[in-house]
mmCIF file of all heavy atoms in Angstrom:
data_model
loop_
_atom_site.group_PDB
_atom_site.id
_atom_site.type_symbol
_atom_site.label_atom_id
_atom_site.label_comp_id
_atom_site.label_asym_id
_atom_site.label_seq_id
_atom_site.Cartn_x
_atom_site.Cartn_y
_atom_site.Cartn_z
ATOM 1 N N PRO B 1015 142.513 66.682 63.184
ATOM 2 C CA PRO B 1015 143.809 67.091 63.740
ATOM 3 C C PRO B 1015 143.592 68.045 64.920
ATOM 4 O O PRO B 1015 142.646 68.841 64.921
ATOM 5 C CB PRO B 1015 144.490 67.813 62.582
ATOM 6 C CG PRO B 1015 143.751 67.407 61.359
ATOM 7 C CD PRO B 1015 142.369 67.035 61.779
ATOM 8 N N PRO B 1016 144.478 67.976 65.911
ATOM 9 C CA PRO B 1016 144.318 68.844 67.093
ATOM 10 C C PRO B 1016 144.216 70.322 66.753
ATOM 11 O O PRO B 1016 143.487 71.049 67.415
ATOM 12 C CB PRO B 1016 145.580 68.550 67.910
ATOM 13 C CG PRO B 1016 145.986 67.184 67.497
ATOM 14 C CD PRO B 1016 145.592 67.054 66.056
ATOM 15 N N VAL B 1017 144.917 70.779 65.716
ATOM 16 C CA VAL B 1017 144.870 72.193 65.367
ATOM 17 C C VAL B 1017 143.449 72.613 64.959
ATOM 18 O O VAL B 1017 142.995 73.709 65.300
ATOM 19 C CB VAL B 1017 145.916 72.541 64.280
ATOM 20 C CG1 VAL B 1017 145.563 71.920 62.937
ATOM 21 C CG2 VAL B 1017 146.080 74.043 64.156
ATOM 22 N N LEU B 1018 142.734 71.739 64.249
ATOM 23 C CA LEU B 1018 141.356 72.063 63.870
ATOM 24 C C LEU B 1018 140.426 72.031 65.076
ATOM 25 O O LEU B 1018 139.529 72.868 65.204
ATOM 26 C CB LEU B 1018 140.861 71.104 62.789
ATOM 27 C CG LEU B 1018 141.477 71.283 61.407
ATOM 28 C CD1 LEU B 1018 140.934 70.245 60.430
ATOM 29 C CD2 LEU B 1018 141.242 72.688 60.885
ATOM 30 N N LEU B 1019 140.629 71.060 65.949
ATOM 31 C CA LEU B 1019 139.818 71.014 67.167
ATOM 32 C C LEU B 1019 140.062 72.252 68.023
ATOM 33 O O LEU B 1019 139.121 72.828 68.573
ATOM 34 C CB LEU B 1019 140.128 69.752 67.964
ATOM 35 C CG LEU B 1019 139.600 68.452 67.370
ATOM 36 C CD1 LEU B 1019 140.108 67.259 68.162
ATOM 37 C CD2 LEU B 1019 138.085 68.462 67.328
ATOM 38 N N ASP B 1020 141.321 72.667 68.127
ATOM 39 C CA ASP B 1020 141.631 73.871 68.896
ATOM 40 C C ASP B 1020 140.970 75.100 68.281
ATOM 41 O O ASP B 1020 140.444 75.957 68.995
ATOM 42 C CB ASP B 1020 143.144 74.089 68.969
ATOM 43 C CG ASP B 1020 143.831 73.086 69.879
ATOM 44 O OD1 ASP B 1020 143.129 72.435 70.692
ATOM 45 O OD2 ASP B 1020 145.064 72.951 69.778
ATOM 46 N N GLU B 1021 140.976 75.181 66.960
ATOM 47 C CA GLU B 1021 140.322 76.306 66.280
ATOM 48 C C GLU B 1021 138.823 76.309 66.572
ATOM 49 O O GLU B 1021 138.237 77.361 66.833
ATOM 50 C CB GLU B 1021 140.571 76.224 64.772
ATOM 51 C CG GLU B 1021 140.002 77.401 64.025
ATOM 52 C CD GLU B 1021 140.286 77.360 62.537
ATOM 53 O OE1 GLU B 1021 141.244 76.698 62.113
ATOM 54 O OE2 GLU B 1021 139.524 78.012 61.798
ATOM 55 N N GLY B 1022 138.211 75.135 66.535
ATOM 56 C CA GLY B 1022 136.787 75.037 66.849
ATOM 57 C C GLY B 1022 136.492 75.431 68.284
ATOM 58 O O GLY B 1022 135.530 76.152 68.556
ATOM 59 N N ARG B 1023 137.327 74.974 69.200
ATOM 60 C CA ARG B 1023 137.133 75.320 70.614
ATOM 61 C C ARG B 1023 137.285 76.823 70.843
ATOM 62 O O ARG B 1023 136.505 77.423 71.579
ATOM 63 C CB ARG B 1023 138.143 74.563 71.477
ATOM 64 C CG ARG B 1023 137.833 73.105 71.618
ATOM 65 C CD ARG B 1023 138.804 72.447 72.603
ATOM 66 N NE ARG B 1023 138.772 71.018 72.393
ATOM 67 C CZ ARG B 1023 139.774 70.297 71.897
ATOM 68 N NH1 ARG B 1023 140.915 70.864 71.573
ATOM 69 N NH2 ARG B 1023 139.648 69.006 71.727
ATOM 70 N N MET B 1024 138.294 77.418 70.216
ATOM 71 C CA MET B 1024 138.498 78.867 70.367
ATOM 72 C C MET B 1024 137.311 79.644 69.786
ATOM 73 O O MET B 1024 136.889 80.652 70.355
ATOM 74 C CB MET B 1024 139.802 79.295 69.711
ATOM 75 C CG MET B 1024 141.025 78.857 70.493
ATOM 76 S SD MET B 1024 142.590 79.520 69.869
ATOM 77 C CE MET B 1024 142.636 78.880 68.215
ATOM 78 N N ALA B 1025 136.771 79.174 68.663
ATOM 79 C CA ALA B 1025 135.623 79.848 68.056
ATOM 80 C C ALA B 1025 134.419 79.791 68.993
ATOM 81 O O ALA B 1025 133.726 80.798 69.198
ATOM 82 C CB ALA B 1025 135.288 79.204 66.705
ATOM 83 N N VAL B 1026 134.176 78.619 69.577
ATOM 84 C CA VAL B 1026 133.047 78.486 70.503
ATOM 85 C C VAL B 1026 133.262 79.371 71.724
ATOM 86 O O VAL B 1026 132.324 80.028 72.193
ATOM 87 C CB VAL B 1026 132.831 77.009 70.902
ATOM 88 C CG1 VAL B 1026 131.831 76.891 72.043
ATOM 89 C CG2 VAL B 1026 132.358 76.192 69.703
ATOM 90 N N GLU B 1027 134.480 79.421 72.239
ATOM 91 C CA GLU B 1027 134.758 80.261 73.404
ATOM 92 C C GLU B 1027 134.538 81.734 73.094
ATOM 93 O O GLU B 1027 134.028 82.477 73.937
ATOM 94 C CB GLU B 1027 136.173 80.021 73.932
ATOM 95 C CG GLU B 1027 136.310 78.721 74.679
ATOM 96 C CD GLU B 1027 135.298 78.551 75.807
ATOM 97 O OE1 GLU B 1027 135.110 79.504 76.601
ATOM 98 O OE2 GLU B 1027 134.677 77.482 75.872
ATOM 99 N N GLN B 1028 134.892 82.164 71.889
ATOM 100 C CA GLN B 1028 134.661 83.551 71.499
ATOM 101 C C GLN B 1028 133.157 83.846 71.457
ATOM 102 O O GLN B 1028 132.710 84.894 71.924
ATOM 103 C CB GLN B 1028 135.292 83.834 70.139
ATOM 104 C CG GLN B 1028 135.128 85.258 69.690
ATOM 105 C CD GLN B 1028 135.747 85.520 68.318
ATOM 106 O OE1 GLN B 1028 136.401 84.662 67.738
ATOM 107 N NE2 GLN B 1028 135.533 86.711 67.813
ATOM 108 N N ILE B 1029 132.391 82.928 70.912
ATOM 109 C CA ILE B 1029 130.935 83.103 70.853
ATOM 110 C C ILE B 1029 130.351 83.141 72.255
ATOM 111 O O ILE B 1029 129.526 84.002 72.578
ATOM 112 C CB ILE B 1029 130.294 81.990 70.001
ATOM 113 C CG1 ILE B 1029 130.729 82.133 68.543
ATOM 114 C CG2 ILE B 1029 128.774 82.005 70.127
ATOM 115 C CD1 ILE B 1029 130.445 80.916 67.685
ATOM 116 N N ARG B 1030 130.786 82.223 73.109
ATOM 117 C CA ARG B 1030 130.299 82.209 74.495
ATOM 118 C C ARG B 1030 130.616 83.528 75.195
ATOM 119 O O ARG B 1030 129.768 84.075 75.912
ATOM 120 C CB ARG B 1030 130.941 81.060 75.264
ATOM 121 C CG ARG B 1030 130.410 79.703 74.922
ATOM 122 C CD ARG B 1030 131.181 78.653 75.693
ATOM 123 N NE ARG B 1030 130.677 77.328 75.445
ATOM 124 C CZ ARG B 1030 131.386 76.231 75.630
ATOM 125 N NH1 ARG B 1030 132.634 76.307 76.067
ATOM 126 N NH2 ARG B 1030 130.860 75.046 75.394
#
Side-chain angles (χ1 to χ4, degrees):
V1017 69
L1018 289 178
L1019 288 173
D1020 288 343
E1021 184 178 337
R1023 287 186 198 112
M1024 287 187 300
V1026 170
E1027 285 306 313
Q1028 182 181 354
I1029 294 166
R1030 286 177 178 158

